[in-house]
Amino acid sequence: MTWWHAVVESEHEIQNPTSADKIRLLGRRLGLGPDSHVLDIASGRSGPATVLAQEFGCRVTCVERAPEFLAAARERIEEAELADRIELVEADAATFELRRYDAALCLGATFVYGGLVPTLERLRGAAPLLGVGEPYWRSWPLPPEPDSDADRRTAEDDWLPLPETVERAESTGVRVLSLIASSEDDWDRYESLHWQTLDAWLAANPGHPRAEEFRARGAADRDRYLRWERAVMGWAILVCRS
Ligand SMILES: C[S@@+](CC[C@H](N)C(=O)[O-])C[C@H]1O[C@@H](n2cnc3c(N)ncnc32)[C@H](O)[C@@H]1O
């Protein structure tokens, strides 16, 4: 069955509100070089891995579950002639057996392990340095729903403001050494590429059985982003020493 994220993220080079420049900064903060071996958990279309291997000459082991993203990653790695530097592993990261690496990444996918704390607990034994991308609230408390006292948070997100997010990370025993936060521009680029990609997909697939469902979801996501998320959602890569 056609999967929402496979449609709306089919054009994203990096599937998070960040940029290639910030991924290069992450690589510098992690001290990467040609001898480094990096683990990238939930590596998507291999955007971050490709940037890091190109810039630092490091090896990257990518673990990803979605066949659509793995196929795109394979194509991109071949085009960039990085097949000797980037290994793609098709697996559920939750059960993937970790080895020892110089750095381990989990960018925008701590849900794989059940949140920030279990992710850091799991990865800290695998590498001396970690890069974990996590959402946080830039404003607190959240603005209420119009005409309602309902809490805007959904059941699956329990994000916190940034100081508490760092405290939560450090409660696992890691030390947060550095922070690479997303700008409004990073967010707009990431979010609005969903709109444009969906628009093109709907034009190309007018009779698709999920077209109306996707159209409605896209409209609701866009409205929520414009009305309140854009003002309060943050995302940052925490660079941690294990
Ligand atoms: C927000 S995207 C981030 C992709 C990539 N880290 C990046 O920054 O471009 C989340 C990724 O997690 C992958 N994913 C979700 N659950 C997974 C699992 N259990 N094992 C491996 N990958 C998973 C999705 O397929 C998707 O590619």
Side-chain angles (χ1 to χ4, degrees):
M1 183 163 45
T2 305
W3 179 45
W4 167 257
H5 281 98
V7 170
V8 297
E9 300 211 335
S10 62
E11 301 297 326
H12 285 67
E13 297 205 346
I14 296 178
Q15 295 164 261
N16 270 304
T18 189
S19 65
D21 272 350
K22 288 181 181 176
I23 297 298
R24 282 188 276 271
L25 174 60
L26 169 64
R28 288 198 292 279
R29 295 281 162 94
L30 293 170
L32 300 183
D35 293 333
S36 309
H37 184 192
V38 178
L39 171 69
D40 188 3
I41 289 292
S43 50
R45 297 161 48 87
S46 85
T50 305
V51 170
L52 293 175
Q54 268 167 339
E55 183 73 9
F56 301 100
C58 55
R59 278 192 301 138
V60 188
T61 294
C62 292
V63 183
E64 170 59 49
R65 190 172 66 173
E68 301 89 341
F69 294 157
L70 282 161
R74 241 171 250 122
E75 208 171 294
R76 166 181 280 177
I77 291 164
E78 206 169 296
E79 261 169 32
E81 298 183 4
L82 288 170
D84 62 331
R85 299 279 82 198
I86 303 179
E87 173 194 23
L88 288 180
V89 180
E90 179 165 10
D92 181 346
T95 53
F96 174 74
E97 195 180 328
L98 302 177
R99 297 183 179 196
R100 192 71 196 163
Y101 310 87
D102 297 299
L105 309 179
C106 181
L107 302 177
T110 58
F111 54 82
V112 165
Y113 295 117
L116 180 61
V117 165
T119 298
L120 290 168
E121 284 171 344
R122 186 76 173 262
L123 295 184
R124 63 180 301 218
L129 290 167
L130 310 176
V132 175
E134 184 73 350
Y136 64 91
W137 298 120
R138 289 196 291 122
S139 149
W140 191 265
L142 296 178
E145 295 274 6
D147 309 320
S148 145
D149 291 334
D151 193 329
R152 284 186 185 268
R153 286 174 297 171
T154 59
E156 66 270 25
D157 74 48
D158 70 338
W159 305 320
L160 297 169
L162 189 55
E164 288 79 8
T165 304
V166 171
E167 275 171 15
R168 176 181 273 179
E170 293 192 330
S171 74
T172 65
V174 306
R175 179 81 185 146
V176 175
L177 303 175
S178 191
L179 185 74
I180 303 172
S182 306
S183 64
E184 198 166 80
D185 185 45
D186 292 328
W187 271 107
D188 285 349
R189 200 175 48 249
Y190 171 68
E191 285 291 333
S192 63
L193 186 53
H194 291 145
W195 313 344
Q196 191 168 357
T197 309
L198 179 61
D199 189 71
W201 184 86
L202 289 169
N205 297 277
H208 192 283
R210 301 195 74 183
E212 289 319 306
E213 175 199 340
F214 281 9
R215 190 190 307 279
R217 178 167 175 178
D221 283 3
R222 185 170 89 152
D223 191 60
R224 199 174 57 245
Y225 179 70
L226 291 171
R227 289 191 186 283
W228 70 277
E229 281 184 349
R230 187 172 187 266
V232 300
M233 280 280 283
W235 193 83
I237 303 173
L238 308 181
V239 181
C240 307
R241 175 162 45 70
S242 292

